[in-house]
Amino acid sequence: MATKLFDKILIANRGEIACRVIKTCRKLGIKTVAVYSDADDGALHMRMADEAVHIGPAPAAESYLVIEKIVDACKKTGAQAVHPGYGFLSENRKFAAALKDAGIAFIGPNPDAIYAMGDKIESKKLAQKAGVSTVPGYLGAIASTEEAIKIATEIGFPVMIKASAGGGGKGMRIAHSKEEVAQGFSSATNEAKNSFGDDRVFIEKYIEQPRHIEIQVLGDKHGNVIYLGERECSIQRRHQKVIEEAPSPFLDEATRKAMGEQAVALAKTVNYDSAGTVEFIVGGKDRKFYFLEMNTRLQVEHPVTELITGIDLVEQMIRVAAGEKLSIKQEDVKLNGWAIEARIYAEDPLRGFLPSTGRLVRWRTAPESDVIRNDTGVVEGSEISMFYDPMISKLCSYGETRDEAVATLSAALDETWIAGIGHNVNFLSAVLDHPRFRAGNISTNFIAEEWPNGYSGTVLPEEQQTAMLAVAALLHIRNEHRARHLGGKLGLPDWTPGTDWVAVLNKTEYPLTVVEADGGFDVKVKKGKTLKVRSAWKPGEPFFRGTVNGRNVVARVAQRPDGLRIVHGGAELDIAVRTPRAAELARLMPEKLPPDMSKFLLCPMPGLVVSINVSEGEPVKAGQALAVVEAMKMENVLRAERDGTVKKINAKKGDSLAVDQVILEFA
């Protein structure tokens, strides 16, 4: 006889993960309760749930992290169980224990397992005792900067400074010198204290050129534990995962089995009884792997595992929490096809990926289907707040092969339109289209190696750029046709296909000849190339969908004062299509230059000043830390771009600054 599941579940979280849990509860016929802070009043997760309870002010420390408020919300609504999602209280042993004391089920592992494996220091000690390979390091909590420098020197540089209670890339720093240890120790402890209420950090050897590969495990309360394959999470920035995939293009079957069995053995030592993830770093041609940590919760990237296994992990967590035995045995687990997840964040890649806040004026992407999954917690009009993680969406693709999955996700990103805030969609496209990524030749250093000076935009290969010039010709002529038709000027010679045009991109002129054809145009570009552009695109549509020489092409289209903006493959192309006479006149127009702001340090995002590290009159060197600004629980060090002297300081510690507000001025 099947175990009775819960009647009502409270989700102690927000955003996309709360919405994700609600979807599974609906499928199972379980009512849901959302909790929300002042900043989330009216948010999507609040509207999707059957009930919603207000739990306090915007700061997480006064709302989502207050155990008593969550327990009280359960009692008020009669919720029998709580799903914590990830982050916030998901790995808090005291929270799990408080729910147990109140007679409320925790949809996660038992408190002892959270304690044993959720703490990075204790979990490594336990792994060592269990015979699991671990990275060399010092596992005790470190009390001072001086002690940190001494330990790092003994281990040997480079080292990784990590928060004991950390996660999501917070409280982590790589240090290659004593100076970097001192700075990294300070930032890591501050971030750890602010994000987790625990400022303990430890130090371990940093393995160079590693791959980050994790094993998904699933256990029940009857001693059964299985693993559901691996996820490759090596594409990271500041230790924050950016793109994940399953399976890994690096592992062979023998290594997959060895890692899976080791993960299961480790989980069994703590009687693990929910979904969890054992993380490893893997390096070298011999695929040697080392235990990093165990996340005693649902991972952000769990959708890729669900897509290739067909197993709903949230459903399994609920069933296990209700006391059911796992209905899946290890031999039942089959990995079918390939899945990739891209994390769409509210951040500005052109400003060093600093967080972006504001109203989501536009939010559209490829519709969900058998090959596209979109886990999101926002809609058009939602506010991206400085108080929480800046994730907008987890856009996932599925394919029979890795190449299929990559192509599907690339097209979906081209079909994504976000306005009102900065976002990383173009950067994600650039990563997916990179030859190294396509070949699966990646490591956790991939982004730092391929964009060592930071991301400054994507330049398309010549063939793709030429295709966009041809697309621009079709867009322009159809716009002209519509405008002349509405104005009663149909048939004037300078719009008629067959005449010559000039496409202008990055101040370079490209002569075009356009001939009308069935369903589109044949566009002859420089060097005698003719491209057959076919599309049903009509003026006003935000996306071009069609073919160029038979190849499917998707691009976002926006009208500009002087031409078109076409976004494709991560590149933003401002193209003006003109008659030869108009192109000649445009050459004679004076160029408008932007104001010179090089003498100012501007705040790159809304945030709180943690420190000003220089004084007026002080000479500074390029790369020197000038100030630290905190936003979305992350400390951002602002550095000098060149040598100079500080003339005036306009901000002080504790100030709340807006984007582009002047922090200091140089002489």
Side-chain angles (χ1 to χ4, degrees):
M1 183 176 175
T3 304
K4 186 182 186 306
L5 297 181
F6 309 105
D7 297 316
K8 186 183 290 186
I9 291 174
L10 182 143
I11 299 101
N13 217 298
R14 62 177 300 280
E16 68 85 15
I17 188 57
C19 297
R20 159 73 189 91
V21 174
I22 290 170
K23 288 178 182 178
T24 288
C25 288
R26 283 180 177 175
K27 182 179 72 174
L28 297 174
I30 299 171
K31 291 188 179 298
T32 54
V33 179
V35 291
Y36 66 96
S37 69
D38 289 347
D40 280 335
D41 192 356
L44 181 60
H45 76 282
M46 172 187 170
R47 288 182 274 152
M48 283 180 65
D50 296 292
E51 299 175 63
V53 178
H54 178 254
I55 54 170
E62 300 174 44
S63 51
Y64 293 105
L65 288 172
V66 182
I67 293 173
E68 294 77 13
K69 291 185 177 181
I70 304 297
V71 174
D72 185 56
C74 289
K75 292 177 178 177
K76 284 180 179 177
T77 58
Q80 302 153 308
V82 170
H83 196 299
Y86 52 74
F88 292 143
L89 296 169
S90 62
E91 294 179 281
N92 189 306
R93 177 179 57 145
K94 293 179 180 177
F95 179 51
L99 290 174
K100 185 177 180 181
D101 291 344
I104 301 163
F106 178 65
I107 303 175
N110 63 79
D112 291 339
I114 294 175
Y115 174 74
M117 301 308 297
D119 184 291
K120 289 182 172 66
I121 293 175
E122 294 304 318
S123 67
K124 284 182 182 293
K125 291 178 179 177
L126 186 61
Q128 286 179 345
K129 289 179 182 177
V132 177
S133 176
T134 57
V135 179
Y138 180 82
L139 298 184
I142 299 167
S144 66
T145 301
E146 292 72 26
E147 186 183 4
I149 292 172
K150 180 176 181 294
I151 290 167
T153 304
E154 291 172 354
I155 293 171
F157 295 104
V159 297
M160 176 77 84
I161 305 167
K162 300 175 77 171
S164 179
K170 297 179 179 67
M172 297 175 66
R173 293 292 188 277
I174 298 171
H176 295 82
S177 65
K178 293 179 181 179
E179 292 75 21
E180 289 185 6
V181 170
Q183 185 176 311
F185 179 79
S186 174
S187 290
T189 51
N190 287 342
E191 281 184 9
K193 185 176 182 179
N194 291 336
S195 295
F196 315 110
D198 183 345
D199 65 358
R200 292 176 303 146
V201 300
F202 65 99
I203 296 178
E204 64 186 14
K205 179 70 175 175
Y206 178 64
I207 307 299
E208 299 189 83
Q209 293 300 320
R211 297 178 82 115
H212 185 130
I213 299 176
E214 59 191 30
I215 302 292
Q216 176 71 58
V217 296
L218 187 61
D220 63 21
K221 299 182 185 301
H222 306 277
N224 303 301
V225 183
I226 60 174
Y227 68 93
L228 307 179
E230 82 281 2
R231 294 185 288 260
E232 170 85 59
C233 305
S234 297
I235 304 296
Q236 301 181 5
R237 184 189 58 72
R238 287 184 68 178
H239 317 298
Q240 179 84 42
K241 298 164 188 173
V242 176
I243 290 176
E244 304 99 342
E245 58 185 304
S248 164
F250 185 64
L251 293 194
D252 55 24
E253 199 57 51
T255 308
R256 176 177 294 116
K257 187 172 185 291
M259 291 175 71
E261 290 176 348
Q262 194 172 98
V264 167
L266 189 60
K268 284 187 173 181
T269 62
V270 291
N271 300 314
Y272 200 82
D273 52 349
S274 188
T277 298
V278 181
E279 300 193 347
F280 296 91
I281 55 172
V282 186
K285 294 180 180 179
D286 60 358
R287 297 180 175 85
K288 191 170 183 179
F289 55 88
Y290 301 93
F291 170 73
L292 272 180
E293 61 181 319
M294 184 174 188
N295 292 132
T296 57
R297 54 170 167 81
L298 191 68
Q299 290 280 89
V300 176
E301 58 272 20
H302 74 273
V304 292
T305 296
E306 294 183 327
L307 285 168
I308 66 166
T309 62
I311 296 169
D312 184 328
L313 287 169
V314 174
E315 177 181 346
Q316 294 302 316
M317 292 177 77
I318 293 170
R319 292 189 179 280
V320 165
E324 283 191 10
K325 285 185 179 181
L326 285 178
S327 60
I328 310 158
K329 299 187 183 302
Q330 191 62 59
E331 56 267 25
D332 299 328
V333 178
K334 307 295 180 188
L335 308 184
N336 300 307
W338 216 282
I340 306 179
E341 173 182 291
R343 299 190 188 189
I344 299 178
Y345 280 110
E347 60 186 14
D348 190 347
L350 300 178
R351 290 188 171 196
F353 297 92
L354 292 170
S356 178
T357 59
R359 190 164 299 282
L360 200 55
V361 177
R362 287 284 180 270
W363 166 225
R364 300 182 193 176
T365 190
E368 291 199 282
S369 65
D370 291 341
V371 294
I372 289 291
R373 171 172 166 173
N374 179 28
D375 283 19
T376 185
V378 295
V379 294
E380 282 192 359
S382 292
E383 188 77 20
I384 305 300
S385 165
M386 66 178 287
F387 295 102
Y388 312 118
D389 186 272
M391 183 183 288
I392 296 171
S393 165
K394 300 181 316 197
L395 191 60
C396 308
S397 67
Y398 175 83
E400 291 298 321
T401 64
R402 186 173 188 266
D403 287 346
E404 281 184 25
V406 171
T408 298
L409 188 53
S410 290
L413 289 170
D414 281 337
E415 205 168 342
T416 298
W417 182 15
I418 295 173
I421 55 171
H423 59 83
N424 66 337
V425 171
N426 291 345
F427 177 70
L428 294 171
S429 293
V431 172
L432 287 178
D433 287 343
H434 197 286
R436 263 186 70 186
F437 181 84
R438 294 276 175 143
N441 178 26
I442 56 179
S443 74
T444 56
N445 301 322
F446 172 82
I447 290 175
E449 290 169 352
E450 296 305 324
W451 289 275
N453 300 315
Y455 176 74
S456 57
T458 300
V459 178
L460 290 180
E462 184 180 1
E463 183 179 349
Q464 283 181 266
Q465 182 173 289
T466 303
M468 291 303 104
L469 295 173
V471 167
L474 178 144
L475 301 174
H476 176 77
I477 290 171
R478 287 195 176 160
N479 276 334
E480 281 284 287
H481 189 182
R482 179 174 182 272
R484 291 177 181 276
H485 180 76
L486 292 174
K489 300 177 182 179
L490 194 62
L492 287 181
D494 46 334
W495 82 266
T496 305
T499 57
D500 290 334
W501 297 85
V502 176
V504 183
L505 171 63
N506 297 329
K507 301 180 183 179
T508 302
E509 296 184 356
Y510 300 87
L512 308 175
T513 301
V514 184
V515 178
E516 196 161 14
D518 245 3
F521 299 99
D522 291 343
V523 183
K524 187 176 182 180
V525 192
K526 64 169 191 171
K527 298 180 182 177
K529 295 179 181 177
T530 298
L531 294 98
K532 300 179 184 297
V533 186
R534 304 292 184 264
S535 174
W537 182 86
K538 296 177 182 177
E541 293 179 358
F543 295 101
F544 169 90
R545 298 179 181 88
T547 61
V548 178
N549 285 352
R551 185 178 71 87
N552 289 328
V553 171
V554 177
R556 186 166 66 78
V557 179
Q559 201 72 41
R560 305 273 291 175
D562 186 25
L564 297 158
R565 171 162 289 180
I566 299 176
V567 183
H568 174 75
E572 294 190 356
L573 308 175
D574 290 331
I575 304 174
V577 179
R578 300 167 177 153
T579 64
R581 175 64 179 156
E584 184 180 349
L585 291 173
R587 279 184 232 119
L588 302 176
M589 296 292 289
E591 184 181 359
K592 291 183 179 179
L593 297 175
D596 180 14
M597 300 300 291
S598 61
K599 291 186 177 180
F600 299 92
L601 175 68
L602 305 179
C603 188
M605 71 291 184
L608 189 73
V609 178
V610 176
S611 65
I612 301 292
N613 301 341
V614 292
S615 56
E616 291 182 0
E618 180 180 340
V620 296
K621 295 290 185 182
Q624 182 175 337
L626 303 175
V628 179
V629 176
E630 180 187 307
M632 294 179 176
K633 299 186 289 185
M634 295 288 282
E635 288 194 356
N636 303 279
V637 180
L638 308 183
R639 301 180 183 277
E641 293 185 357
R642 60 185 67 85
D643 294 356
T645 302
V646 178
K647 178 181 178 181
K648 183 181 179 183
I649 295 176
N650 298 70
K652 63 183 183 301
K653 180 179 179 180
D655 282 356
S656 182
L657 302 182
V659 64
D660 286 339
Q661 191 167 336
V662 175
I663 297 175
L664 56 86
E665 182 181 349
F666 299 100

